[in-house]
Amino acid sequence: MKQTIITLQNKKKSGEKITMLTAYDYSMARLCAEAGCDMLLVGDSLGMVMLGYPDTVSVTMDDMIHHTRAVSRGCGDAFLVADMPFMSYRTGMRDALVNAARLMAEGRCQAVKIEGGSELCDLVRQLKLGGIPVVGHLGLTPQSVNTLGGYKVQAKEEEAAVRLLRDAKALDEAGVMGIVLECVPRELARLVSEEISCFTIGIGAGPDCDGQVLVLQDMLSMYSEFRPKFVQSFADVGAAIQDGVRAYCAAVQDGTFPDDSHSFTMDKAILEKIAAEYTAHEK
Ligand code: KIV
């Protein structure tokens, strides 16, 4: 069944957990969607995972559209969300609307995700009016890594926790379809999930959110640069890939690949004619 805003909201109501993973290309999107993942996120984490940057800051609208368009072709029944990249929604309402519209129309996602609190409520309302569903993102917001001073747990103290709760309520009232809560204490994530009507998706926010998201390459052990505490490895795909590559290199080097079963043949008479007429001729 195709996931929509309504089916996802119904999951919150019935207590069924929502599953979300990042995806950045067609083949991975297909594998995740066919395996039953409810939502796919073209995260700007593609800056690190796919493009090798140290953070998400250099990711552009064009990068996001390129990857979102590829994922959209493979996302099947999964609901597709794409990140608005760094500063693409912070230089004025018009820029933000134009960029979000590009991500929807050219990237073919079904919602956009933006990082930040109540200061984004007007934008959320305008996007919704224009037919663009929005997912919020609170707690550790990676686009602000330079102002946050690193990738750390957020909102542990009273003032920051109250601010996060108020931001979540404000975004909910403004009309976001859901909120990603990243790297916040599990107790706070639970409180937020109980207090707002839209669903919460946790990453490093404990088990009581309405759903969970992880970066695909993290949970498949394909990306070894950085392993946050909240990641669990569900399969060692990185090691499986390296085993496969080593086996391929060894087979090419020792001549066991390719063999007859991988080769095409031609008519013997034609080969003999070519050998006689051309190779002899050239000698
Ligand atoms: O960019 C991303 O992958 C994200 C998730 C970590 C939620 O925003």
Side-chain angles (χ1 to χ4, degrees):
M1 182 180 58
K2 178 72 191 162
Q3 296 297 335
T4 65
I5 287 196
I6 295 166
T7 61
L8 295 167
Q9 192 56 36
N10 284 343
K11 282 182 193 268
K12 169 156 183 143
K13 285 189 197 135
S14 68
E16 190 188 336
K17 295 284 185 188
I18 298 169
T19 55
M20 186 190 220
L21 283 168
T22 64
Y24 315 104
D25 63 45
Y26 168 79
S27 53
M28 286 299 214
R30 250 190 100 159
L31 289 171
C32 293
E34 285 173 6
C37 193
D38 297 322
M39 300 179 79
L40 294 180
L41 169 67
V42 185
D44 59 357
S45 50
L46 69 82
M48 288 93 101
V49 176
M50 303 305 283
L51 305 177
Y53 294 134
D55 51 45
T56 62
V57 170
S58 303
V59 176
T60 65
M61 277 304 300
D62 286 343
D63 291 332
M64 291 308 303
I65 289 167
H66 176 78
H67 286 271
T68 304
R69 207 191 336 230
V71 170
S72 75
R73 295 189 200 109
C75 80
D77 285 345
F79 187 92
L80 179 57
V81 183
D83 266 343
M84 297 277 287
F86 181 65
M87 291 304 282
S88 64
Y89 50 99
R90 296 264 185 196
T91 57
M93 184 64 80
R94 191 172 186 285
D95 286 353
L97 296 177
V98 168
N99 285 330
R102 281 193 68 202
L103 208 43
M104 294 284 286
E106 296 174 46
R108 300 222 44 93
C109 57
Q110 282 125 30
V112 299
K113 178 163 80 60
I114 53 180
E115 297 182 4
S118 50
E119 77 281 6
L120 297 175
C121 285
D122 281 346
L123 174 59
V124 171
R125 280 187 279 269
Q126 289 300 318
L127 287 169
K128 213 179 155 192
L129 276 175
I132 300 182
V134 185
V135 175
H137 187 151
L138 293 170
L140 173 56
T141 45
Q143 290 172 11
S144 306
V145 62
N146 292 304
T147 48
L148 295 176
Y151 298 99
K152 302 186 231 171
V153 182
Q154 302 294 309
K156 285 182 88 156
E157 303 305 328
E158 182 180 339
E159 195 188 328
V162 170
R163 199 179 328 123
L164 189 142
L165 180 60
R166 286 193 177 138
D167 280 338
K169 285 185 178 185
L171 288 169
D172 187 30
E173 275 159 27
V176 292
M177 62 178 288
I179 300 179
V180 169
L181 296 174
E182 179 163 357
C183 254
V184 298
R186 58 178 290 180
E187 299 85 350
L188 179 63
R190 178 184 187 145
L191 188 66
V192 170
S193 306
E194 285 168 357
E195 285 288 309
I196 62 176
S197 61
C198 69
F199 59 78
T200 58
I201 302 280
I203 172 163
D208 301 312
C209 294
D210 302 307
Q212 296 291 328
V213 60
L214 282 176
V215 168
L216 184 67
Q217 278 73 358
D218 283 346
M219 71 94 168
L220 295 180
S221 297
M222 292 172 71
Y223 179 78
S224 53
E225 257 99 312
F226 178 57
R227 166 72 71 84
K229 171 186 160 81
F230 55 76
V231 171
Q232 176 170 319
S233 173
F234 287 86
D236 203 347
V237 174
I241 289 174
Q242 288 190 325
D243 284 350
V245 171
R246 276 190 212 101
Y248 164 76
C249 292
V252 169
Q253 282 158 358
D254 69 18
T256 53
F257 177 83
D259 64 16
D260 272 356
S261 69
H262 310 109
S263 305
F264 306 98
T265 55
M266 65 189 292
D267 191 281
K268 204 171 161 213
I270 297 174
L271 181 65
E272 281 169 4
K273 184 164 183 274
I274 292 171
E277 287 183 19
Y278 295 93
T279 58
H281 186 69
E282 286 186 6
K283 271 183 203 156

